[in-house]
Amino acid sequence: HGERSGTVLEPYLTDQWYVDAKVLAQPAIRAVEEGRIVLEPKAWEKTFFEWMRNIEPWCISRQLWWGHRIPAWWGPDGRVFVEESEEAARAAAYEHYGRQEPLRQDEDVLDTWFSSGLWPFSTLGWPEATDDLRRFYPTHTLVTGFDIIFYWVARMMMMGLKFMGDVPFRRVVFNALVRDAEGRKMSKTKGNVLDPLELIDEYGCDALRFTLTALSGQARDIRLSRERIEGYRNFGTKVWSAARFCQMNDCTYDADFDPGAATLTVNRWVRSEAAKTIEAVTDALDRCAFSEAATAIYRFSWNVLCDWYLELVKPVLAGDDAAAKAETRAMAAWTLRLCLKLLHPISPFITETLWREFSDSSDGLLITAAWPPAKPDWIDPEASAELDWLIQLVDAVRSVCAETSVPAKARPALVLVGASAVTRERLKRYGVQIRRLARLSSIELADAAPAGAVQFVAGEATGAIAIAGLVDVASERARLAKEIAALTADADKTARKLANADFVARAPEEVVEENRERLAEAQAARAKLEGALQRLESVA
Protein backbone atom coordinates (compact mmCIF):
# COMPACT_ATOMS: atom_id res chain seq x y z
CA HIS A 1 0.00 0.00 0.00
CA GLY A 2 1.15 3.51 -0.76
CA GLU A 3 2.19 5.25 2.48
CA ARG A 4 0.41 8.51 1.65
CA SER A 5 -2.36 7.48 -0.73
CA GLY A 6 -3.28 4.19 0.94
CA THR A 7 -3.91 2.60 -2.46
CA VAL A 8 -2.80 -0.91 -3.40
CA LEU A 9 0.42 -0.99 -5.44
CA GLU A 10 1.15 -3.60 -8.12
CA PRO A 11 3.68 -6.20 -6.98
CA TYR A 12 6.86 -6.14 -9.05
CA LEU A 13 8.92 -9.32 -8.75
CA THR A 14 12.67 -8.94 -9.33
CA ASP A 15 15.88 -10.75 -8.52
CA GLN A 16 17.61 -9.28 -5.48
CA TRP A 17 21.04 -9.36 -3.88
CA TYR A 18 21.39 -10.73 -0.36
CA VAL A 19 24.07 -10.81 2.33
CA ASP A 20 24.40 -13.73 4.72
CA ALA A 21 23.69 -11.59 7.78
CA LYS A 22 23.88 -14.54 10.17
CA VAL A 23 27.61 -14.81 9.56
CA LEU A 24 28.13 -11.07 9.96
CA ALA A 25 26.03 -10.97 13.15
CA GLN A 26 28.09 -13.40 15.23
CA PRO A 27 31.08 -11.09 15.97
CA ALA A 28 28.67 -8.24 16.82
CA ILE A 29 26.75 -10.48 19.23
CA ARG A 30 29.98 -11.51 20.94
CA ALA A 31 31.12 -7.87 21.21
CA VAL A 32 28.02 -7.01 23.26
CA GLU A 33 28.13 -10.22 25.28
CA GLU A 34 31.76 -9.57 26.22
CA GLY A 35 31.16 -5.91 27.05
CA ARG A 36 33.32 -4.49 24.27
CA ILE A 37 30.20 -2.58 23.25
CA VAL A 38 27.88 -1.43 26.04
CA LEU A 39 24.23 -0.65 25.31
CA GLU A 40 22.53 1.92 27.56
CA PRO A 41 19.91 1.60 28.91
CA LYS A 42 20.89 -2.03 29.41
CA ALA A 43 17.28 -3.14 28.82
CA TRP A 44 17.86 -2.72 25.06
CA GLU A 45 20.31 -5.65 25.09
CA LYS A 46 17.38 -8.08 25.13
CA THR A 47 15.90 -6.46 22.02
CA PHE A 48 19.29 -6.43 20.30
CA PHE A 49 20.02 -10.11 21.01
CA GLU A 50 16.52 -11.23 20.06
CA TRP A 51 16.89 -9.76 16.60
CA MET A 52 20.55 -10.59 15.99
CA ARG A 53 20.25 -14.24 17.07
CA ASN A 54 17.27 -14.76 14.77
CA ILE A 55 18.50 -12.63 11.90
CA GLU A 56 17.41 -13.42 8.33
CA PRO A 57 19.38 -12.94 5.09
CA TRP A 58 19.69 -9.24 4.38
CA CYS A 59 18.37 -7.92 1.08
CA ILE A 60 20.87 -5.21 0.15
CA SER A 61 19.72 -4.23 -3.36
CA ARG A 62 17.46 -1.32 -4.22
CA GLN A 63 16.00 -0.16 -7.54
CA LEU A 64 16.85 3.52 -7.29
CA TRP A 65 18.68 6.08 -9.39
CA TRP A 66 21.07 7.06 -6.61
CA GLY A 67 23.37 5.29 -4.18
CA HIS A 68 26.36 2.97 -4.28
CA ARG A 69 26.14 0.63 -7.27
CA ILE A 70 26.11 -3.09 -6.53
CA PRO A 71 29.70 -4.31 -7.18
CA ALA A 72 28.60 -6.98 -9.65
CA TRP A 73 29.25 -7.17 -13.41
CA TRP A 74 27.39 -9.38 -15.87
CA GLY A 75 29.03 -11.16 -18.80
CA PRO A 76 27.34 -11.76 -22.17
CA ASP A 77 26.29 -15.27 -21.17
CA GLY A 78 24.68 -14.16 -17.91
CA ARG A 79 27.58 -15.08 -15.64
CA VAL A 80 28.11 -12.60 -12.80
CA PHE A 81 31.44 -11.39 -11.44
CA VAL A 82 31.33 -9.86 -7.95
CA GLU A 83 34.53 -7.95 -7.20
CA GLU A 84 35.77 -4.90 -5.33
CA SER A 85 36.37 -2.90 -8.52
CA GLU A 86 35.61 -2.93 -12.24
CA GLU A 87 39.26 -3.73 -12.99
CA ALA A 88 39.10 -6.78 -10.75
CA ALA A 89 35.83 -7.84 -12.39
CA ARG A 90 37.36 -7.55 -15.90
CA ALA A 91 40.38 -9.58 -14.78
CA ALA A 92 38.07 -12.30 -13.41
CA ALA A 93 36.05 -12.26 -16.66
CA TYR A 94 39.20 -12.55 -18.79
CA GLU A 95 40.33 -15.54 -16.73
CA HIS A 96 36.90 -17.14 -17.18
CA TYR A 97 36.38 -16.46 -20.90
CA GLY A 98 40.02 -16.48 -22.00
CA ARG A 99 39.40 -13.21 -23.84
CA GLN A 100 38.04 -9.71 -23.32
CA GLU A 101 34.26 -9.63 -23.20
CA PRO A 102 31.93 -6.66 -22.63
CA LEU A 103 30.65 -6.41 -19.06
CA ARG A 104 27.54 -4.67 -17.74
CA GLN A 105 27.44 -3.46 -14.13
CA ASP A 106 24.29 -4.37 -12.22
CA GLU A 107 21.82 -1.47 -12.24
CA ASP A 108 20.75 -1.88 -8.59
CA VAL A 109 22.26 0.17 -5.78
CA LEU A 110 23.11 -0.83 -2.23
CA ASP A 111 20.51 -0.53 0.49
CA THR A 112 20.71 2.80 2.34
CA TRP A 113 21.54 1.04 5.59
CA PHE A 114 24.34 -0.95 3.95
CA SER A 115 25.99 2.29 2.89
CA SER A 116 25.23 3.86 6.27
CA GLY A 117 26.81 0.90 8.02
CA LEU A 118 30.15 1.90 6.50
CA TRP A 119 29.91 5.40 7.95
CA PRO A 120 32.21 5.05 11.02
CA PHE A 121 35.22 4.36 8.81
CA SER A 122 34.27 5.36 5.23
CA THR A 123 34.01 9.00 6.35
CA LEU A 124 37.60 8.83 7.70
CA GLY A 125 39.25 7.91 4.40
CA TRP A 126 38.85 4.12 4.39
CA PRO A 127 40.05 1.99 2.62
CA GLU A 128 43.17 4.17 2.80
CA ALA A 129 45.04 4.05 6.14
CA THR A 130 44.61 7.75 6.87
CA ASP A 131 45.64 9.67 9.98
CA ASP A 132 41.97 10.39 10.71
CA LEU A 133 41.12 6.69 10.54
CA ARG A 134 43.90 5.80 12.97
CA ARG A 135 42.93 8.60 15.34
CA PHE A 136 39.15 8.42 15.37
CA TYR A 137 38.33 4.74 14.83
CA PRO A 138 36.90 3.37 16.98
CA THR A 139 35.03 6.26 18.59
CA HIS A 140 33.73 6.10 22.14
CA THR A 141 29.99 6.87 22.35
CA LEU A 142 27.18 6.75 19.82
CA VAL A 143 23.94 8.53 20.79
CA THR A 144 20.94 7.58 18.65
CA GLY A 145 17.27 6.64 18.64
CA PHE A 146 16.18 3.16 19.67
CA ASP A 147 14.10 2.80 16.49
CA ILE A 148 17.24 2.22 14.40
CA ILE A 149 18.95 -0.39 16.58
CA PHE A 150 18.68 -2.86 13.69
CA TYR A 151 18.67 -0.51 10.72
CA TRP A 152 21.88 1.31 11.59
CA VAL A 153 23.49 0.47 14.95
CA ALA A 154 23.73 -3.29 14.40
CA ARG A 155 24.86 -2.80 10.80
CA MET A 156 27.68 -0.46 11.86
CA MET A 157 28.79 -3.11 14.35
CA MET A 158 28.75 -5.84 11.69
CA MET A 159 30.54 -3.72 9.08
CA GLY A 160 33.14 -2.36 11.47
CA LEU A 161 34.08 -5.79 12.78
CA LYS A 162 34.15 -7.20 9.24
CA PHE A 163 36.23 -4.54 7.52
CA MET A 164 38.19 -2.92 10.38
CA GLY A 165 38.57 -5.87 12.73
CA ASP A 166 37.38 -3.79 15.68
CA VAL A 167 34.14 -2.41 17.08
CA PRO A 168 33.13 1.02 15.70
CA PHE A 169 32.26 2.40 19.16
CA ARG A 170 32.52 1.40 22.82
CA ARG A 171 29.12 2.55 24.03
CA VAL A 172 25.68 3.13 22.48
CA VAL A 173 23.21 5.39 24.29
CA PHE A 174 19.63 5.14 23.04
CA ASN A 175 17.61 8.32 23.43
CA ALA A 176 13.87 8.84 23.22
CA LEU A 177 12.00 9.63 20.01
CA VAL A 178 10.58 13.10 19.46
CA ARG A 179 6.82 13.03 19.04
CA ASP A 180 4.11 15.66 19.10
CA ALA A 181 2.38 16.93 22.26
CA GLU A 182 -0.15 14.04 22.12
CA GLY A 183 2.57 11.40 21.77
CA ARG A 184 1.94 10.74 18.06
CA LYS A 185 4.78 10.17 15.61
CA MET A 186 5.32 13.29 13.55
CA SER A 187 4.19 12.94 9.95
CA LYS A 188 3.71 15.33 7.06
CA THR A 189 0.60 13.36 6.18
CA LYS A 190 -0.89 13.98 9.64
CA GLY A 191 0.23 17.60 9.55
CA ASN A 192 1.70 17.45 13.07
CA VAL A 193 5.35 18.09 12.23
CA LEU A 194 7.21 20.73 14.23
CA ASP A 195 9.90 22.06 11.90
CA PRO A 196 13.09 22.57 13.97
CA LEU A 197 14.22 25.45 11.76
CA GLU A 198 10.96 27.29 12.38
CA LEU A 199 11.22 26.58 16.12
CA ILE A 200 14.78 27.92 16.16
CA ASP A 201 13.70 31.08 14.34
CA GLU A 202 10.92 31.63 16.87
CA TYR A 203 12.47 30.51 20.17
CA GLY A 204 16.20 30.24 19.52
CA CYS A 205 18.47 27.23 19.10
CA ASP A 206 19.45 27.11 22.79
CA ALA A 207 15.82 26.89 23.92
CA LEU A 208 15.14 23.97 21.57
CA ARG A 209 18.35 22.17 22.58
CA PHE A 210 17.60 22.56 26.29
CA THR A 211 14.01 21.38 25.82
CA LEU A 212 15.06 18.18 24.04
CA THR A 213 17.81 17.55 26.59
CA ALA A 214 15.56 18.10 29.60
CA LEU A 215 12.84 15.82 28.19
CA SER A 216 15.15 13.03 26.99
CA GLY A 217 15.20 10.92 30.15
CA GLN A 218 14.89 7.14 29.95
CA ALA A 219 11.40 7.22 28.45
CA ARG A 220 10.70 6.03 24.93
CA ASP A 221 9.10 9.28 23.81
CA ILE A 222 9.65 13.03 24.02
CA ARG A 223 6.36 14.89 23.77
CA LEU A 224 7.44 18.14 22.18
CA SER A 225 5.27 21.24 22.21
CA ARG A 226 5.76 24.94 21.68
CA GLU A 227 4.74 25.60 25.28
CA ARG A 228 7.63 23.53 26.59
CA ILE A 229 10.12 25.27 24.31
CA GLU A 230 8.77 28.65 25.36
CA GLY A 231 9.29 27.69 28.99
CA TYR A 232 12.95 26.86 28.44
CA ARG A 233 13.39 30.02 26.39
CA ASN A 234 12.30 31.83 29.56
CA PHE A 235 15.06 29.94 31.37
CA GLY A 236 17.62 31.42 28.98
CA THR A 237 16.13 34.85 29.59
CA LYS A 238 16.48 34.27 33.34
CA VAL A 239 20.19 33.49 33.00
CA TRP A 240 20.63 36.58 30.82
CA SER A 241 18.86 38.71 33.44
CA ALA A 242 21.15 37.33 36.15
CA ALA A 243 24.14 38.38 34.07
CA ARG A 244 22.70 41.88 33.68
CA PHE A 245 22.16 42.08 37.45
CA CYS A 246 25.80 41.17 38.03
CA GLN A 247 26.96 43.81 35.55
CA MET A 248 24.78 46.50 37.10
CA ASN A 249 26.22 45.71 40.56
CA ASP A 250 29.87 45.63 39.45
CA CYS A 251 30.18 41.87 39.98
CA THR A 252 33.24 41.40 37.78
CA TYR A 253 35.34 38.26 37.57
CA ASP A 254 38.52 38.23 39.64
CA ALA A 255 41.02 35.58 38.52
CA ASP A 256 42.68 35.67 41.96
CA PHE A 257 39.43 35.09 43.85
CA ASP A 258 39.32 31.82 45.82
CA PRO A 259 35.75 30.61 46.47
CA GLY A 260 37.11 28.27 49.12
CA ALA A 261 38.15 31.27 51.22
CA ALA A 262 34.68 32.87 51.35
CA THR A 263 33.58 33.85 54.86
CA LEU A 264 29.98 35.14 54.55
CA THR A 265 27.41 32.43 55.22
CA VAL A 266 25.44 33.18 52.06
CA ASN A 267 28.61 32.90 49.96
CA ARG A 268 29.63 29.66 51.66
CA TRP A 269 26.12 28.35 50.97
CA VAL A 270 26.20 29.11 47.24
CA ARG A 271 29.69 27.62 47.04
CA SER A 272 28.35 24.49 48.71
CA GLU A 273 25.46 24.29 46.24
CA ALA A 274 27.93 24.83 43.39
CA ALA A 275 30.08 21.90 44.53
CA LYS A 276 27.03 19.62 44.69
CA THR A 277 25.92 20.75 41.23
CA ILE A 278 29.34 20.22 39.62
CA GLU A 279 29.36 16.66 40.98
CA ALA A 280 25.78 15.97 39.85
CA VAL A 281 26.18 17.38 36.33
CA THR A 282 29.55 15.73 35.72
CA ASP A 283 28.26 12.36 36.87
CA ALA A 284 25.11 12.69 34.75
CA LEU A 285 27.06 13.59 31.61
CA ASP A 286 29.47 10.70 32.18
CA ARG A 287 26.47 8.36 32.32
CA CYS A 288 24.79 10.09 29.35
CA ALA A 289 21.88 10.90 31.66
CA PHE A 290 21.37 14.16 29.83
CA SER A 291 17.99 14.98 31.35
CA GLU A 292 19.47 14.67 34.85
CA ALA A 293 22.27 17.03 33.87
CA ALA A 294 19.75 19.54 32.50
CA THR A 295 17.63 19.31 35.66
CA ALA A 296 20.63 19.93 37.92
CA ILE A 297 21.78 22.92 35.83
CA TYR A 298 18.25 24.35 35.72
CA ARG A 299 17.84 24.07 39.49
CA PHE A 300 21.21 25.67 40.23
CA SER A 301 20.87 28.49 37.70
CA TRP A 302 17.23 29.42 38.29
CA ASN A 303 16.45 28.33 41.86
CA VAL A 304 19.80 28.70 43.62
CA LEU A 305 21.44 31.60 41.78
CA CYS A 306 18.50 33.69 40.54
CA ASP A 307 15.69 33.00 43.01
CA TRP A 308 17.74 32.94 46.21
CA TYR A 309 21.39 33.92 46.08
CA LEU A 310 21.03 37.17 44.11
CA GLU A 311 18.01 38.12 46.21
CA LEU A 312 19.78 37.36 49.49
CA VAL A 313 22.90 39.38 48.62
CA LYS A 314 21.03 42.55 47.59
CA PRO A 315 21.29 44.00 51.14
CA VAL A 316 25.01 43.17 51.16
CA LEU A 317 25.62 44.84 47.80
CA ALA A 318 23.66 47.90 48.97
CA GLY A 319 25.36 47.99 52.39
CA ASP A 320 28.40 49.78 53.76
CA ASP A 321 30.63 46.79 54.56
CA ALA A 322 33.33 47.11 51.88
CA ALA A 323 34.92 43.70 52.57
CA ALA A 324 31.58 41.90 52.45
CA LYS A 325 30.65 43.69 49.20
CA ALA A 326 33.97 42.81 47.57
CA GLU A 327 33.69 39.14 48.50
CA THR A 328 30.05 38.96 47.37
CA ARG A 329 30.74 40.66 44.04
CA ALA A 330 33.56 38.24 43.30
CA MET A 331 31.45 35.24 44.40
CA ALA A 332 28.49 36.34 42.27
CA ALA A 333 30.69 36.69 39.17
CA TRP A 334 32.35 33.34 39.87
CA THR A 335 28.99 31.62 40.35
CA LEU A 336 27.60 33.06 37.13
CA ARG A 337 30.66 31.89 35.18
CA LEU A 338 30.23 28.42 36.68
CA CYS A 339 26.61 28.38 35.46
CA LEU A 340 27.81 29.27 31.98
CA LYS A 341 30.38 26.46 31.99
CA LEU A 342 27.88 23.85 33.14
CA LEU A 343 25.21 25.07 30.74
CA HIS A 344 27.51 25.40 27.72
CA PRO A 345 27.21 21.80 26.37
CA ILE A 346 23.44 22.21 26.18
CA SER A 347 23.04 25.92 25.34
CA PRO A 348 26.27 26.98 23.62
CA PHE A 349 25.20 30.25 22.03
CA ILE A 350 23.88 32.31 24.93
CA THR A 351 26.64 30.99 27.20
CA GLU A 352 29.43 31.88 24.76
CA THR A 353 27.98 35.37 24.35
CA LEU A 354 27.74 35.98 28.09
CA TRP A 355 31.18 34.44 28.66
CA ARG A 356 32.73 37.23 26.58
CA GLU A 357 31.03 39.75 28.86
CA PHE A 358 32.51 38.19 32.00
CA SER A 359 36.00 37.30 30.82
CA ASP A 360 39.20 39.12 30.08
CA SER A 361 41.11 38.80 26.82
CA SER A 362 43.25 35.94 28.15
CA ASP A 363 40.28 33.65 28.82
CA GLY A 364 39.59 32.71 25.21
CA LEU A 365 36.40 30.98 24.14
CA LEU A 366 34.17 29.18 26.61
CA ILE A 367 34.24 26.04 24.47
CA THR A 368 37.99 25.75 25.18
CA ALA A 369 37.67 26.43 28.92
CA ALA A 370 38.45 23.65 31.38
CA TRP A 371 35.51 21.77 32.87
CA PRO A 372 35.05 22.70 36.55
CA PRO A 373 36.68 20.09 38.81
CA ALA A 374 34.85 18.45 41.70
CA LYS A 375 35.40 20.17 45.04
CA PRO A 376 33.84 18.05 47.80
CA ASP A 377 35.65 20.12 50.48
CA TRP A 378 33.57 23.13 49.41
CA ILE A 379 30.40 21.54 50.76
CA ASP A 380 29.54 23.39 53.97
CA PRO A 381 26.88 21.62 56.13
CA GLU A 382 26.62 24.53 58.56
CA ALA A 383 25.95 27.14 55.87
CA SER A 384 23.59 24.77 54.06
CA ALA A 385 21.54 24.14 57.22
CA GLU A 386 21.22 27.87 57.92
CA LEU A 387 20.18 28.95 54.43
CA ASP A 388 17.99 25.89 53.88
CA TRP A 389 16.08 26.90 57.03
CA LEU A 390 15.57 30.40 55.62
CA ILE A 391 14.40 29.10 52.22
CA GLN A 392 11.99 26.59 53.76
CA LEU A 393 10.50 29.30 56.01
CA VAL A 394 9.96 31.73 53.13
CA ASP A 395 8.53 28.96 50.93
CA ALA A 396 6.13 27.91 53.69
CA VAL A 397 4.85 31.47 54.15
CA ARG A 398 4.41 31.91 50.40
CA SER A 399 2.54 28.59 50.12
CA VAL A 400 0.15 29.40 52.96
CA CYS A 401 -0.62 32.82 51.50
CA ALA A 402 -1.16 31.38 48.02
CA GLU A 403 -3.34 28.49 49.20
CA THR A 404 -5.56 30.74 51.30
CA SER A 405 -5.81 33.48 48.63
CA VAL A 406 -4.16 36.21 50.70
CA PRO A 407 -4.08 39.28 48.40
CA ALA A 408 -0.70 39.89 46.79
CA LYS A 409 -0.56 43.45 48.10
CA ALA A 410 -1.32 42.40 51.68
CA ARG A 411 1.64 42.12 54.01
CA PRO A 412 0.60 39.83 56.88
CA ALA A 413 2.52 39.41 60.11
CA LEU A 414 4.35 36.17 60.91
CA VAL A 415 4.33 34.82 64.46
CA LEU A 416 6.72 32.05 65.49
CA VAL A 417 5.74 29.96 68.49
CA GLY A 418 8.31 27.86 70.33
CA ALA A 419 11.33 29.22 68.47
CA SER A 420 14.68 27.91 69.71
CA ALA A 421 17.72 30.02 70.51
CA VAL A 422 19.23 29.08 67.12
CA THR A 423 16.10 30.26 65.30
CA ARG A 424 16.06 33.51 67.28
CA GLU A 425 19.67 34.16 66.32
CA ARG A 426 18.96 33.46 62.66
CA LEU A 427 16.02 35.86 62.72
CA LYS A 428 18.35 38.61 63.90
CA ARG A 429 20.69 38.00 60.96
CA TYR A 430 18.13 37.39 58.22
CA GLY A 431 14.98 39.15 59.41
CA VAL A 432 15.25 41.86 56.75
CA GLN A 433 15.65 39.32 53.91
CA ILE A 434 12.82 37.10 55.21
CA ARG A 435 10.37 39.99 55.50
CA ARG A 436 11.22 41.20 51.99
CA LEU A 437 11.18 37.79 50.29
CA ALA A 438 8.03 36.56 52.07
CA ARG A 439 6.28 39.96 51.81
CA LEU A 440 5.69 40.22 55.57
CA SER A 441 4.97 43.31 57.62
CA SER A 442 6.75 41.91 60.68
CA ILE A 443 8.10 38.76 62.36
CA GLU A 444 7.27 38.28 66.01
CA LEU A 445 7.97 35.68 68.68
CA ALA A 446 5.14 34.53 70.95
CA ASP A 447 4.07 31.77 73.32
CA ALA A 448 0.80 31.10 71.46
CA ALA A 449 -0.62 31.62 67.98
CA PRO A 450 -2.92 34.64 67.61
CA ALA A 451 -6.61 34.23 66.90
CA GLY A 452 -7.63 33.98 63.25
CA ALA A 453 -4.24 32.59 62.21
CA VAL A 454 -3.32 29.77 59.85
CA GLN A 455 -0.61 27.57 61.38
CA PHE A 456 2.20 25.57 59.75
CA VAL A 457 5.42 23.81 60.73
CA ALA A 458 8.55 26.00 60.67
CA GLY A 459 11.43 23.79 61.74
CA GLU A 460 11.17 23.18 65.48
CA ALA A 461 8.75 26.10 65.77
CA THR A 462 5.16 26.66 64.71
CA GLY A 463 4.48 29.46 62.25
CA ALA A 464 1.22 31.41 62.34
CA ILE A 465 -0.10 33.95 59.85
CA ALA A 466 -3.13 36.01 60.85
CA ILE A 467 -5.37 36.03 57.79
CA ALA A 468 -8.78 36.64 59.39
CA GLY A 469 -8.67 40.32 58.51
CA LEU A 470 -7.23 39.72 55.03
CA VAL A 471 -9.41 36.88 53.71
CA ASP A 472 -13.10 36.01 53.88
CA VAL A 473 -12.47 32.70 55.65
CA ALA A 474 -15.99 31.31 55.15
CA SER A 475 -15.94 32.05 51.40
CA GLU A 476 -12.45 30.62 51.10
CA ARG A 477 -13.53 27.39 52.83
CA ALA A 478 -16.47 27.09 50.45
CA ARG A 479 -14.24 27.72 47.43
CA LEU A 480 -11.72 25.09 48.51
CA ALA A 481 -14.46 22.55 49.24
CA LYS A 482 -15.97 23.12 45.78
CA GLU A 483 -12.61 22.72 44.04
CA ILE A 484 -11.84 19.59 46.06
CA ALA A 485 -15.18 18.09 45.06
CA ALA A 486 -14.54 18.82 41.38
CA LEU A 487 -11.05 17.29 41.53
CA THR A 488 -12.42 14.25 43.37
CA ALA A 489 -15.07 13.69 40.69
CA ASP A 490 -12.48 14.06 37.93
CA ALA A 491 -10.03 11.70 39.67
CA ASP A 492 -12.75 9.09 40.31
CA LYS A 493 -13.89 9.20 36.69
CA THR A 494 -10.34 8.77 35.39
CA ALA A 495 -9.60 6.02 37.92
CA ARG A 496 -12.68 4.05 36.79
CA LYS A 497 -11.55 4.37 33.19
CA LEU A 498 -8.07 3.06 34.01
CA ALA A 499 -9.57 0.23 36.07
CA ASN A 500 -11.37 -0.94 32.93
CA ALA A 501 -9.10 -3.65 31.49
CA ASP A 502 -10.81 -3.38 28.11
CA PHE A 503 -10.01 0.35 27.88
CA VAL A 504 -6.36 -0.17 28.82
CA ALA A 505 -6.01 -2.99 26.29
CA ARG A 506 -7.73 -1.26 23.37
CA ALA A 507 -6.90 2.42 23.77
CA PRO A 508 -3.72 3.81 22.15
CA GLU A 509 -0.74 3.84 24.49
CA GLU A 510 -0.55 7.64 24.48
CA VAL A 511 -4.22 7.91 25.52
CA VAL A 512 -3.72 5.53 28.45
CA GLU A 513 -0.60 7.42 29.54
CA GLU A 514 -2.43 10.73 29.26
CA ASN A 515 -5.17 9.43 31.60
CA ARG A 516 -2.59 8.20 34.10
CA GLU A 517 -0.95 11.61 34.13
CA ARG A 518 -4.33 13.29 34.51
CA LEU A 519 -5.19 11.09 37.51
CA ALA A 520 -1.85 11.80 39.19
CA GLU A 521 -2.22 15.55 38.65
CA ALA A 522 -5.78 15.57 40.02
CA GLN A 523 -4.77 13.59 43.11
CA ALA A 524 -1.80 15.86 43.79
CA ALA A 525 -3.89 19.01 43.38
CA ARG A 526 -6.61 17.60 45.64
CA ALA A 527 -4.10 16.74 48.37
CA LYS A 528 -2.72 20.28 48.26
CA LEU A 529 -6.17 21.86 48.54
CA GLU A 530 -7.16 19.47 51.33
CA GLY A 531 -4.12 20.64 53.28
CA ALA A 532 -5.14 24.26 52.75
CA LEU A 533 -8.70 23.54 53.86
CA GLN A 534 -7.46 21.74 56.95
CA ARG A 535 -5.43 24.82 57.89
CA LEU A 536 -8.49 27.05 57.49
CA GLU A 537 -10.53 24.81 59.78
CA SER A 538 -8.44 26.08 62.68
CA VAL A 539 -9.17 29.72 61.87
CA ALA A 540 -11.92 31.12 64.09
Side-chain angles (χ1 to χ4, degrees), residues 349-537:
F349 299 103
I350 186 175
T351 51
E352 194 72 72
T353 300
L354 292 175
W355 180 261
R356 290 198 298 268
E357 298 290 329
F358 287 87
S359 306
D360 54 40
S361 58
S362 63
D363 269 350
L365 296 174
L366 175 53
I367 195 172
T368 63
W371 185 256
K375 293 284 188 178
D377 56 314
W378 281 358
I379 297 176
D380 190 323
E382 182 181 346
S384 295
E386 192 159 305
L387 269 296
D388 287 349
W389 167 85
L390 183 153
I391 292 169
Q392 290 167 11
L393 178 60
V394 173
D395 277 342
V397 173
R398 288 174 174 175
S399 296
V400 168
C401 290
E403 291 171 2
T404 54
S405 299
V406 173
K409 293 183 179 180
R411 303 183 76 86
L414 170 64
V415 176
L416 290 179
V417 179
S420 66
V422 173
T423 296
R424 293 168 184 263
E425 184 62 32
R426 288 172 176 173
L427 287 175
K428 291 180 182 178
R429 289 198 297 271
Y430 301 108
V432 173
Q433 289 96 324
I434 294 172
R435 286 197 302 273
R436 181 171 58 84
L437 293 171
R439 301 182 63 84
L440 297 169
S441 60
S442 63
I443 303 176
E444 302 171 7
L445 300 173
D447 295 328
V454 173
Q455 300 183 36
F456 60 93
V457 176
E460 85 292 342
T462 298
I465 299 177
I467 67 167
L470 304 173
V471 176
D472 185 334
V473 177
S475 297
E476 189 61 22
R477 286 174 182 159
R479 181 187 69 82
L480 290 174
K482 183 177 179 180
E483 290 189 17
I484 290 170
L487 286 169
T488 300
D490 186 42
D492 291 345
K493 179 181 177 181
T494 307
R496 286 194 299 272
K497 189 182 294 185
L498 290 171
N500 186 334
D502 189 57
F503 167 77
V504 174
R506 293 176 177 273
E509 182 180 345
E510 59 268 19
V511 174
V512 176
E513 185 59 30
E514 181 182 349
N515 276 271
R516 287 175 179 153
E517 292 175 2
R518 182 175 180 178
L519 176 60
E521 289 172 0
Q523 290 173 336
R526 181 178 62 187
K528 187 175 181 179
L529 293 181
E530 286 173 342
L533 182 59
Q534 186 175 7
R535 289 194 184 102
L536 284 178
E537 295 297 339

Side-chain angles (χ1 to χ4, degrees), residues 257-263 268 271 331 377-378:
F257 174 68
D258 177 16
T263 58
R268 288 160 42 214
R271 180 192 67 197
M331 179 61 82
D377 56 314
W378 281 358

